[in-house]
């Protein structure tokens, strides 16, 4: 199977997960609202109309249910956001393969790294639109961005080249 097909299959799976999560989120949000309004009604019954023990129990149960629904809703929302993030990662993988540069995040050099005077960074398009960095994809952390930039802007020591080639072969 081609990498593009893998990305597309995962993007479809995460899109379905995101859509299902959003649907469940809307349902739970409505349940939260209904539970909250019912709890307010029970509280009014208890405090305003001398509802005594049954009104107190009803209020406590409804507020407890509301609290549980808040937690459940938060988890559903988090999962839907995660699915959307994974969908975007896979869509960007397809964009990289198909060289659709405008659909990829900016690949500017990390802050504090100037390339204006570098001997080859501009000529070889190491950073920027349609660059090597944009093709490789964004690093997850600022340390990773700086490390990648350092590797691309400076030659490796001769002793490290075989180890890097072996690592690249293993990743391929």
């Amino acid at each position: 199977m081609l990498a593009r097909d893998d990305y597309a299959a995962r993007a479809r799976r995460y899109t379905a997960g995101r859509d299902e999560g959003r649907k469940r989120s809307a349902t739970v949000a409505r349940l939260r609202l209904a539970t909250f309004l019912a709890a307010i009604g029970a509280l009014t019954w208890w405090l305003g109309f001398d509802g005594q023990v049954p009104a107190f129990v009803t209020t406590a149960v409804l507020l407890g249910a509301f609290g549980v629904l808040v937690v459940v809703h938060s988890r559903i929302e988090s999962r839907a956001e995660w699915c959307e993030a994974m969908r975007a990662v896979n869509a960007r993988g397809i964009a990289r393969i198909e060289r659709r540069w405008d659909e990829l995040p900016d690949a500017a050099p990390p802050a504090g790294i100037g390339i204006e005077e570098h001997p080859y960074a501009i000529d070889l398009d190491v950073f920027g639109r349609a660059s090597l960095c944009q093709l490789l994809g964004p690093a997850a952390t600022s340390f990773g961005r700086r490390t990648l930039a350092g590797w691309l802007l400076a030659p490796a020591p001769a002793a490290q080249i075989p180890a890097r080639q072996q690592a690249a072969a293993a990743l391929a």
Side-chain angles (χ1 to χ4, degrees), residues 22 34 42 75 80 87 101 108 115 134 137 147 169:
R22 288 179 177 169
R75 289 181 181 166
R87 184 213 56 81
W101 305 113
I115 60 169
Q134 201 172 30
T147 300

Side-chain angles (χ1 to χ4, degrees), residues 114-127 152-155:
I115 60 169
E116 296 77 24
E117 302 298 321
H118 194 272
Y120 60 80
I122 294 174
D123 291 340
L124 296 181
D125 290 328
V126 175
F127 299 100
L152 295 174
L153 295 175

Side-chain angles (χ1 to χ4, degrees), residues 23-116:
K23 184 177 161 187
R24 288 181 62 207
S25 175
T27 301
V28 172
R30 286 187 207 97
L31 284 172
R32 280 177 57 183
L33 178 62
T35 304
F36 181 76
L37 293 175
I40 294 299
L43 183 64
T44 303
W45 174 34
W46 178 44
L47 295 177
F49 297 101
D50 197 30
Q52 298 180 356
V53 174
F56 172 75
V57 170
T58 303
T59 302
V61 167
L62 288 170
L63 288 176
F66 176 75
V68 169
L69 287 172
V70 167
V71 171
V72 168
H73 191 230
S74 174
R75 289 181 181 166
I76 291 170
E77 283 287 312
S78 293
R79 176 69 181 174
E81 289 173 16
W82 181 81
C83 284
E84 172 56 20
M86 295 306 295
R87 184 213 56 81
V89 165
N90 285 281
R92 288 176 182 163
I94 294 170
R96 252 184 223 94
I97 290 170
E98 295 177 352
R99 307 300 192 257
R100 290 184 274 133
W101 305 113
D102 293 331
E103 296 177 23
L104 297 171
D106 183 38
I113 295 181
I115 60 169
E116 296 77 24

